Structures are given as C-alpha cells and as structure tokens.
Amino acid sequence: MTRKHILATLAIALLPLALILAAGYAFAAETVPQPIAFSHKIHVTDYKLHCRFCHSSTNKSQYANLPRWRSA
C-alpha cells in the first residue's frame, strides 16, 4: 500500500468516530436560563446582527455575557 492509500483508509475509518464525537458535543452543550424573556429572532434573523454586537465575550467564554442594558 502506498502512503496515500494508508492515509485515505485511516481518514475513512476515523470519519464515523469524528461525526459521533461532534454530534455528542453539540447535544452536551447545556443551556443557561435567561434573566429576561427575550427573543433573538428580530436581531439575529431579521437584522442579521452578530452575537458580538451585544455580547462582548462570545469569542472568549463558553457562554455569552449579559449585554449592557442602559445606553451610554
């Protein structure tokens, strides 16, 4: 077997494991109760705003922080 065949076989063999682990990780994410009843539909779906617009910790933490609720 050539090196390419070995790598292809290994990739095909590991693909189901990677998919199972990825699916398990997605379902394992816990939800955090929200302090107020707020629908993100208008902001995210309609206005196409990214989470970082309101939540400054989206790239730094597992959970988004609470946005500022008072204007400057």
Side-chain angles (χ1 to χ4, degrees):
M1 274 181 130
T2 66
R3 185 176 178 152
K4 286 184 180 181
H5 286 103
I6 293 172
L7 290 176
T9 304
L10 184 60
I12 291 170
L14 293 177
L15 183 62
L17 177 63
L19 292 173
I20 290 170
L21 290 175
Y25 178 76
F27 289 114
E30 60 184 279
T31 58
V32 177
Q34 299 300 306
I36 59 172
F38 178 81
S39 173
H40 289 85
K41 181 186 180 304
I42 293 172
H43 297 92
V44 176
T45 306
D46 298 344
Y47 296 144
K48 309 280 189 241
L49 294 176
H50 192 276
C51 300
R52 286 179 294 205
F53 188 79
C54 297
H55 303 278
S56 62
S57 69
T58 55
N59 292 340
K60 304 172 196 166
S61 175
Q62 183 176 2
Y63 302 108
N65 64 328
L66 295 176
R68 290 177 52 178
W69 56 276
R70 290 184 185 173
S71 59

